[in-house]
Amino acid sequence: MDFQTIRYEQRGKVALITYDRQERRNAWNVPMYREIVAAIEAANRDEAIGAIVITNDGPVFCSGVDFKAPPEEKDPATGVRPNVATLSMAPDDSWIHLIQRSKPLICAVNGAAIGAGITQILAADIRVGSKSSTYSFPFTSLGLMPEIGATALLPQLVGLGRAMDLCLTAGKVDAEEALRIGLITRVFEDATFVDEAVALAEKLAGYPAFTLKKTKALINANAVEHDINAYLARETEAFVELYRVNKAARAAMADKV
């Protein structure tokens, strides 16, 4: 695949997507967003891939949305100029929808995640950071507000009180604090950061794909479900389906012995 703003490579069963728009500190513009989506979709179609890692080179993971990007051409069908906000928050086709239907995806932050650089990782299945990573929420100080679902996802991760504090005060935290409050779940050494993130993804890729898919879907659905019967029903249905799939897999394996 020929990309201009990212790099895509396969390491074992892991698709490694590396942001490579360093002249703009990896800020998202429309072409970059579309390339990232295309890379994730390609990994999802590839049966040799079991998990995905998104990371970066250089001191900045992503500096947010590129507000200096030239306007895109109007969509012939709608007459509207696409932008990162309309694409990443499109109904039924948002960044969050993409991540939730994807294979297990790890966002691995090396350096600074700023604005949309932090809100984009909130939907990831696992978030890890290098020891030197930092996480900034500058929105209110710029007259802006959190986006890409951050007002729903951030409270789920760090709690309502901390989410309110971070967003209203334009807060910034380092890796140690991000780990403590649950914004990320692991911290790796800077020197070995990418290798350790890929190793974690490789571990996931070694597990049964159907089990991962069902577990991920259940957690996403049931985390905000208050009806006990509803989440138990989802688990029961998934358990029966899982048993049937595993039974078929065991039978196929037995035929090969």
Side-chain angles (χ1 to χ4, degrees):
M1 286 172 282
D2 184 22
F3 295 117
Q4 303 301 313
T5 65
I6 63 174
R7 301 197 308 272
Y8 182 99
E9 60 182 294
Q10 182 175 342
R11 294 196 185 181
K13 295 181 179 180
V14 176
L16 179 62
I17 300 169
T18 304
Y19 290 173
D20 193 23
R21 194 172 179 249
Q22 298 181 46
E23 72 280 2
R24 294 295 299 147
R25 302 201 303 167
N26 292 327
W28 272 10
N29 61 4
V30 169
M32 183 176 181
Y33 180 80
R34 285 176 166 160
E35 287 193 354
I36 299 164
V37 171
I40 293 172
E41 296 285 25
N44 285 335
R45 291 191 300 268
D46 190 341
E47 294 183 0
I49 297 295
I52 302 166
V53 172
I54 295 177
T55 191
N56 64 291
D57 277 342
V60 179
F61 172 74
C62 175
S63 59
V65 174
D66 187 354
F67 292 109
K68 294 184 179 180
E72 296 294 312
E73 295 292 330
K74 290 183 179 180
D75 186 325
T78 64
V80 176
R81 297 183 190 275
N83 59 57
V84 171
T86 58
L87 293 175
S88 64
M89 297 192 287
D92 300 320
D93 194 30
S94 71
W95 177 251
I96 300 170
H97 288 93
L98 171 66
I99 301 295
Q100 289 195 352
R101 69 173 181 261
S102 172
K103 293 173 181 177
L105 188 147
I106 298 172
C107 275
V109 177
N110 189 13
I114 305 165
I118 176 64
T119 57
Q120 69 182 254
I121 77 170
L122 300 179
D125 302 312
I126 299 176
R127 294 157 303 284
V128 302
S130 66
K131 276 196 170 182
S132 63
S133 61
T134 58
Y135 308 82
S136 301
F137 298 80
F139 304 100
T140 54
S141 67
L142 301 173
L144 302 172
M145 59 177 291
E147 77 299 69
I148 318 180
T151 53
L153 298 175
L154 185 61
Q156 293 177 32
L157 295 175
V158 305
L160 178 61
R162 286 196 180 97
M164 195 74 77
D165 189 304
L166 285 169
C167 292
L168 293 185
T169 67
K172 177 180 178 179
V173 296
D174 60 16
E176 182 179 348
E177 178 68 1
L179 178 64
R180 188 184 72 82
I181 65 177
L183 185 59
I184 60 177
T185 56
R186 299 174 191 236
V187 175
F188 297 137
E189 295 290 339
D190 289 9
T192 57
F193 178 71
V194 173
D195 289 340
E196 291 194 72
V198 170
L200 178 59
E202 189 74 41
K203 180 179 180 180
L204 297 179
Y207 298 148
F210 186 82
T211 301
L212 291 170
K213 179 179 180 180
K214 278 297 177 181
T215 300
K216 176 175 170 174
L218 281 172
I219 291 174
N220 282 324
N222 288 344
V224 293
E225 177 64 71
H226 299 291
D227 185 331
I228 297 173
N229 289 332
Y231 61 68
L232 289 178
R234 289 192 189 106
E235 289 184 349
T236 300
E237 181 181 353
F239 184 86
V240 171
E241 189 176 1
L242 183 65
Y243 178 80
R244 288 172 178 165
V245 169
N246 286 343
K247 184 177 180 180
R250 288 194 298 269
M253 287 295 294
D255 291 340
K256 296 180 181 179
V257 176

